[in-house]
Amino acid sequence: MAEYDAAPKNEKGAILRRERLYHSHVKEWRAARDAGALEKLVDKRTSPARPKKSAAETENEKLRRQVERLEKPWPGPPARRTMGSWASTTRTRATSPNRRGRCSARPAPGR
C-alpha cells in the first residue's frame, strides 16, 4: 500500500495491474488500516513472539522421531499363502490345473 500511495496518479493503475489487484482491494485495506486491524495481524510463523529453534534442536527432533520409528517392534513378514488358500481360489474357476500346472480345458502349447 505504501508503494501505491506514493505513486503518481498515472502510475497507480500499472501497480494494480502488476500486482493483479483491484482498486476495491486498496479501499478495503485502507479501511482496515484506519480501523487499526492491521496492527493486530502477526505472521505466527516468523513473529518475534515465537522463538526460532536452532539447527541443533531441529536435528535432535528429527533424530528422535527416527529412533522412535526404528525402535518399534517389527511386525514380521507378510502371511504366507498355504496350499489351502491356493486351492480355495482355484475352486471358483471353471477348470482346475492338473499336476503340471496346466488346465485340462486348454491344449498344451506346441501340441
Side-chain angles (χ1 to χ4, degrees):
M1 281 212 4
E3 181 186 4
Y4 181 80
D5 291 337
K9 188 171 187 170
N10 59 352
E11 292 180 14
K12 290 186 179 190
I15 293 172
L16 292 177
R17 283 190 297 276
R18 183 186 71 212
E19 300 294 333
R20 296 180 184 188
L21 298 173
Y22 293 104
H23 183 69
S24 61
H25 292 130
V26 176
K27 289 168 72 175
E28 289 175 14
W29 293 337
R30 279 187 182 145
R33 179 190 63 194
D34 295 341
L38 295 181
E39 286 82 25
K40 296 177 185 173
L41 293 178
V42 176
D43 187 2
K44 294 177 182 165
R45 295 171 294 164
T46 60
S47 71
R50 180 179 176 205
K52 195 166 189 169
K53 293 181 183 176
S54 67
E57 289 176 356
T58 306
E59 182 71 16
N60 285 341
E61 287 181 10
K62 178 183 169 186
L63 292 173
R64 280 190 191 107
R65 286 192 303 268
Q66 185 178 5
V67 166
E68 286 176 10
R69 183 180 55 86
L70 293 174
E71 286 180 345
K72 286 182 183 177
W74 188 56
R80 293 181 63 189
R81 295 190 71 175
T82 62
M83 189 62 176
S85 65
W86 177 80
S88 67
T89 60
T90 58
R91 285 189 198 120
T92 58
R93 297 182 189 160
T95 60
S96 60
N98 58 21
R99 286 186 287 156
R100 293 185 183 152
R102 298 186 186 125
C103 293
S104 57
R106 61 183 171 143
R111 290 190 183 179

